[in-house]
Amino acid sequence: MWMTPKRSKMEVDESRGFRSEWTQRYLVVEPPEGEGALCLVCRRVVVAASEPDVRQHYEAEHGYYERYVSEGEREALVERLRRGDLPEAAPLTPEERAARAGLVVARLLALKGRGWGEGDFVYRCMEVMLRDVLPDHVSVLNGVDLSPEITRQRVLDIHENLRSQLFNRAKDFKAFSLALDDQAFVAYENYLLVFVRGVGHDLVVQEELLTIINLTHYFSVGALMAAILEALQTAGLSLQRMVGLTTTHTLRMIGENSGLVSYMREKAVSPNCWNVIHYSGFLHLELLSSYDLDVNQVINAVSEWIVLIKTRGVRRPEFQALLTESESEHGERVNGRCLNNWLRRGKTLKLIFSLRKKIKTFLVSIGATTIHFTDKQWLCDFGFLVDIMDHLRELSVLLRVSKVFAAAAFDHICTFEVKLNLLQRHIEENNLTHFAALREVTDELKEHLKEDEKIFEPGRYQVVICRLQKEFERHFKDLKFIKKDLELFANPFSFKTEYAPISVKVELTKLQANTNLWNEYRTKDLGQFYAGLSAESYPIIKGVACKVASLFDSSEICEKAFSYLTRNQHTLSQPLTDEQLHALFRIATTEIEPRWDDLVRGRNEPNP
């Protein structure tokens, strides 16, 4: 998967063009007409010809040809395929086709968070449909086993297949980073999700779940560190190649003397002068302010409203949009702690704020308390919280975009810090231009208060913004430490050589004087440009590129895991072993396609 920023919407998206090295790697050639990649095996055209699309087609449909390993074997294979001489792959037997169908259904059940027992229900549905529509073909289901025990085992088999593919790719990582999320499992036995992002020599970025660690079994930071090191060793990853560490902002992670980050920095030795770069604001950004804003009184009151609406106002048309969003996020059941995290998202609070008058009418109709609606300070706090969370949401949306490098993500963070300075000045001047909700509350209160009566205290909210500024400075200070490296990576031809480190000045001067490379830089995205850069001629710049590319540039994969949890909390609250939980989350977050034929024929590679 390429994670590459675009400098202009008007530029041609070269990352979707055909690349010659794909012929041996994925057995495709450039089609004589049109765009895409023509598969030499099945003669189908992969229309969206970006590398992830081509790789997914190859791994899903033609993994059989991975047995041709050496360069000479691949060249001979390509020549045979060009001539139409297709090496015989043993066709699947009816029993194997039935097993493959069962595997695909098991994966779909896992993706949708359905229980093991629902395989039987799927089988009965297919049987009823076939009896009515294709009665002569009901017998095709005879070999399909979707019993709970078989479905459970198939999910574990798919997990092992995906895991072994990740480990094979990890061997080629030139640099990698870890993301540690201990706040995703907000409602259950606590777990730590460990994600890895690595890049090879061609700067293709891979983001995957590395492992899940049960924090009740590894309570101390030392034990947790040992579990992470064991997972890295199993994957064939050395701390010598670790460049970055992204975490949540809990004491377990960033405690000054006893946090996990301190332990890992002591263990990790980077291959050049960099220390391990740590930043802790990417994950669950909406919770960043929760440690500094007094939000609980607002969140708790709003949580009570939501519970009342879900129990006694479910049929009211004015609440349908809110209920629909709640169900899409949490399913039919809402856990209290998941609900609180959901409410801390700017979009949700903004929607509830817009419904506050209708909610008040509803509360009055059922005899519930409406005391908060007469509390001037509480209403102002509510409006201010809606505005701050909405500003954080806008940043969070930018940081969930996965096809950028850390340099672009750092730009978003710097821009937001400038925005906080502006908000600080505006609140000091009683200028509510960028505080729409607070302005709406104050306008309403003015109608009921005396002209000289003060509505809110600006100093109260200045303190909040000041604390948020300090939090951003603390959580992202390491990215500022490598600011020059990020700038060099993003704009190598406009970077002033006098600001470059001595070790890179000669390479940078030579690079900027190369007209051919300048043309490539203009027409290609950064990933392709650095992938084609000679490691022999520009070893230091290439090394910087690998390290920057390996830094987590978004929270997308963590958000994917958190969304999977909140949507399927009823299923995941059932008794599950750690291995089963690991399997479900790997299937839900991976970009790797299972090798179905290997699974069917039992060719799953053993784990290291």
Side-chain angles (χ1 to χ4, degrees), residues 114-363:
R114 316 310 296 181
W116 320 118
E118 295 200 26
D120 282 337
F121 176 70
V122 172
Y123 183 93
R124 289 196 296 272
C125 289
M126 291 191 296
E127 189 176 34
V128 168
M129 184 177 294
L130 283 175
R131 286 191 189 282
D132 287 343
V133 180
L134 297 170
D136 295 337
H137 293 77
V138 175
S139 60
V140 300
L141 294 176
N142 291 342
V144 179
D145 189 346
L146 297 179
S147 63
E149 296 78 14
I150 295 297
T151 301
R152 184 188 302 115
Q153 185 57 49
R154 282 172 174 161
V155 168
L156 294 176
D157 290 343
I158 293 171
H159 159 65
E160 290 300 333
N161 183 275
L162 295 170
R163 190 166 175 255
S164 64
Q165 288 189 65
L166 170 62
F167 289 174
N168 282 334
R169 296 183 186 187
K171 295 173 185 176
D172 298 326
F173 288 169
K174 300 298 181 184
F176 72 91
S177 295
L178 295 180
L180 310 179
D181 185 359
D182 63 343
Q183 288 188 309
F185 285 80
V186 294
Y188 310 103
E189 191 174 17
N190 209 4
Y191 288 85
L192 174 69
L193 298 177
V194 182
F195 300 97
V196 63
R197 173 185 169 108
V199 294
H201 67 280
D202 53 1
L203 263 77
V204 174
V205 177
Q206 188 80 45
E207 279 188 17
E208 292 290 333
L209 177 67
L210 180 64
T211 189
I212 290 181
I213 299 173
N214 191 329
L215 294 177
T216 59
H217 300 159
Y218 299 91
F219 184 76
S220 70
V221 173
L224 192 55
M225 178 71 186
I228 294 173
L229 291 177
E230 182 182 355
L232 289 172
Q233 184 178 8
T234 303
L237 293 170
S238 166
L239 283 179
Q240 300 287 326
R241 288 181 280 160
M242 189 170 81
V243 173
L245 190 60
T246 306
T247 69
T248 56
H249 25 274
T250 61
L251 288 177
R252 181 192 286 117
M253 293 291 123
I254 61 173
E256 187 172 349
N257 297 317
S258 59
L260 184 60
V261 173
S262 301
Y263 275 71
M264 295 203 72
R265 278 183 153 168
E266 290 177 5
K267 289 282 186 181
V269 180
S270 197
N272 64 2
C273 296
W274 287 10
N275 293 317
V276 172
I277 302 303
H278 170 249
Y279 42 103
S280 55
F282 266 25
L283 310 185
H284 304 288
L285 184 65
E286 72 282 354
L287 298 179
L288 182 61
S289 61
S290 299
Y291 297 95
D292 298 284
L293 304 181
D294 185 15
V295 302
N296 284 336
Q297 59 171 333
V298 175
I299 296 297
N300 290 340
V302 175
S303 296
E304 293 174 5
W305 298 350
I306 298 298
V307 172
L308 287 171
I309 290 172
K310 288 185 73 71
T311 54
R312 303 181 65 180
V314 70
R315 296 186 182 277
R316 295 191 175 232
E318 62 267 31
F319 300 139
Q320 293 310 302
L322 180 63
L323 292 169
T324 300
E325 182 177 335
S326 173
E327 187 168 331
S328 68
E329 287 283 335
H330 303 96
E332 297 177 357
R333 300 188 180 187
V334 178
N335 177 280
R337 293 179 68 187
C338 280
L339 176 62
N340 285 349
N341 278 15
W342 174 62
L343 289 175
R344 281 175 165 86
R345 296 172 183 258
K347 181 181 177 183
T348 305
L349 267 183
K350 197 172 182 179
L351 176 58
I352 294 171
F353 181 81
S354 69
L355 294 170
R356 67 191 183 283
K357 293 180 181 179
K358 295 177 181 178
I359 292 175
K360 180 181 178 181
T361 303
F362 164 69
L363 294 176

Side-chain angles (χ1 to χ4, degrees), residues 2 15 76 80 126 144 232 278 287 349 360 410-411 502 512 556 562 574 577 601 603 607:
W2 287 99
S15 66
R80 288 183 63 184
M126 291 191 296
V144 179
L232 289 172
H278 170 249
L287 298 179
L349 267 183
K360 180 181 178 181
F410 180 63
D411 287 342
I502 295 175
Q512 293 178 349
E556 184 193 36
F562 182 68
Q574 304 301 315
T577 66
R601 289 170 169 158
R603 290 199 299 262
N607 288 323

Side-chain angles (χ1 to χ4, degrees), residues 27 40-41 43 77-87:
L27 307 180
L40 289 172
V41 181
R43 297 295 168 178
L77 175 62
V78 169
E79 288 304 314
R80 288 183 63 184
L81 292 173
R82 285 183 188 274
R83 296 193 304 267
D85 181 10
L86 192 67

Side-chain angles (χ1 to χ4, degrees), residues 5-75:
K6 306 300 177 189
R7 290 179 287 278
S8 169
K9 291 183 179 178
M10 297 301 293
E11 291 182 5
V12 177
D13 188 358
E14 292 289 340
S15 66
R16 305 190 79 80
F18 184 85
R19 296 173 59 189
S20 58
E21 59 265 30
W22 293 352
T23 298
Q24 279 200 29
R25 191 181 303 170
Y26 304 124
L27 307 180
V28 293
V29 294
E30 191 169 8
E33 295 181 1
E35 299 178 350
L38 175 65
C39 179
L40 289 172
V41 181
C42 62
R43 297 295 168 178
R44 283 162 48 192
V45 174
V46 182
V47 179
S50 63
E51 182 153 7
D53 299 312
V54 176
R55 182 173 63 232
Q56 182 175 347
H57 170 80
Y58 171 74
E59 292 179 346
E61 303 294 335
H62 311 304
Y64 167 83
Y65 294 100
E66 278 294 288
R67 63 184 61 195
Y68 297 88
V69 178
S70 69
E71 185 175 346
E73 286 180 325
R74 298 296 283 188
E75 288 180 357

